[in-house]
Amino acid sequence: AQSVSQHNHHVILSEAASLELGCNYSYGGTVNLFWYVQYPGQHLQLLLKYFSGDPLVKGIKGFEAEFIKSKFSFNLRKPSVQWSDTAEYFCAVNGGATNKLIFGTGTLLAVQP
Amino acid sequence: DAGITQSPRHKVTETGTPVTLRCHQTENHRYMYWYRQDPGHGLRLIHYSYGVKDTDKGEVSDGYSVSRSKTEDFLLTLESATSSQTSVYFCAISDRAETDTQYFGPGTRLTVL
């Protein structure tokens, strides 16, 4: 069965610090990869996605993610975080001929002003 | 934002009572999903629908049933609510399988006493 691991459960950063959130998945075939963000009290919103092509994907609000097939990873990065980036971040994978998304357990990011 | 509404947005009920949550979309998307979100578990798929009257089970379907009689509506029913079903429930939609992005509704916070 597919699974998604987010090893950082809770991250605290100061404004302007760089961010990298890890995401690893277990599936040997073709995958579609997503990062969603959930701001406090809100629903999930798509940050970025990877289907094929350039493994470095740029999303909204200055976020990017790199797909490294050999490492089964899809880490999320942002060079300089802001207080408004405080949110929970979810990695998700859709593998093979299925429309079922498998989510990681989420990483709660707190950015201190 | 995708045109997805959920009702009710908040509900408190007692153990053993039936509960129905409604998801309504205005996007005419084929696929609809119900997830539950719990701390430490991320989002887990309960049931999904791939067309009118076509539904299938997800990862955590026990104790839940669904119905989809119209493209725009997807109902989630807890026949006899239990305290373990206290959660936040999210509906999502997508237009195609596999490579399509899922868009999420605002969520319903359900408390079972």
Side-chain angles (χ1 to χ4, degrees):
Chain A
Q2 296 176 43
S3 65
V4 178
S5 297
Q6 292 182 244
H7 305 295
N8 313 106
H9 298 296
H10 196 179
V11 174
I12 302 173
L13 295 174
S14 299
E15 276 193 314
S18 65
L19 170 72
E20 181 160 3
L21 301 182
C23 173
N24 289 91
Y25 63 92
S26 65
Y27 182 72
T30 302
V31 291
N32 302 311
L33 300 154
F34 305 80
W35 275 98
Y36 284 86
V37 60
Q38 186 177 31
Y39 298 103
Q42 296 189 25
H43 61 284
L44 275 77
Q45 302 171 42
L46 182 69
L47 263 184
L48 48 79
K49 60 187 177 184
Y50 172 80
F51 292 161
S52 63
D54 188 343
L56 185 60
V57 180
K58 294 193 184 299
I60 61 172
K61 305 187 180 186
F63 285 91
E64 64 178 32
E66 185 175 11
F67 169 52
I68 303 179
K69 188 174 181 180
S70 61
K71 294 185 178 180
F72 298 88
S73 70
F74 190 55
N75 292 355
L76 181 71
R77 300 195 292 248
K78 186 171 184 178
S80 177
V81 295
Q82 302 172 320
W83 177 79
S84 58
D85 293 325
T86 294
E88 192 160 16
Y89 293 82
F90 293 93
C91 180
V93 175
N94 176 334
T98 172
N99 57 342
K100 298 181 185 179
L101 273 183
I102 306 297
F103 282 85
T105 53
T107 297
L108 197 57
L109 171 66
V111 179
Q112 298 175 334
Chain B
D1 285 346
I4 310 169
T5 56
Q6 293 184 230
S7 58
R9 295 293 312 281
H10 302 270
K11 186 170 181 67
V12 179
T13 191
E14 293 187 349
T15 299
T17 59
V19 176
T20 296
L21 309 182
R22 179 181 183 238
C23 176
H24 178 79
Q25 59 142 331
T26 58
E27 305 296 322
N28 201 36
H29 281 4
R30 178 182 174 187
Y31 295 88
M32 298 185 75
Y33 313 81
W34 276 108
Y35 292 88
R36 58 179 290 174
Q37 183 181 25
D38 304 289
H41 291 277
L43 278 83
R44 293 178 291 175
L45 182 65
I46 304 171
H47 282 279
Y48 70 101
S49 169
Y50 46 97
V52 173
K53 293 186 172 29
D54 292 324
T55 65
D56 203 352
K57 295 179 180 180
E59 179 188 0
V60 289
S61 58
D62 287 349
Y64 302 95
S65 62
V66 290
S67 65
R68 190 166 178 203
S69 58
K70 298 185 290 185
T71 298
E72 57 266 35
D73 289 326
F74 192 33
L75 303 181
L76 176 70
T77 297
L78 291 66
E79 301 290 348
S80 178
T82 67
S83 58
S84 64
Q85 294 176 311
T86 292
S87 186
V88 181
Y89 292 85
F90 286 98
C91 174
I93 65 173
S94 68
D95 200 22
R96 300 181 301 275
E98 301 171 29
T99 59
D100 205 18
T101 300
Q102 292 185 21
Y103 296 96
F104 287 80
T108 294
R109 184 174 293 276
L110 175 67
T111 302
V112 183
L113 301 175

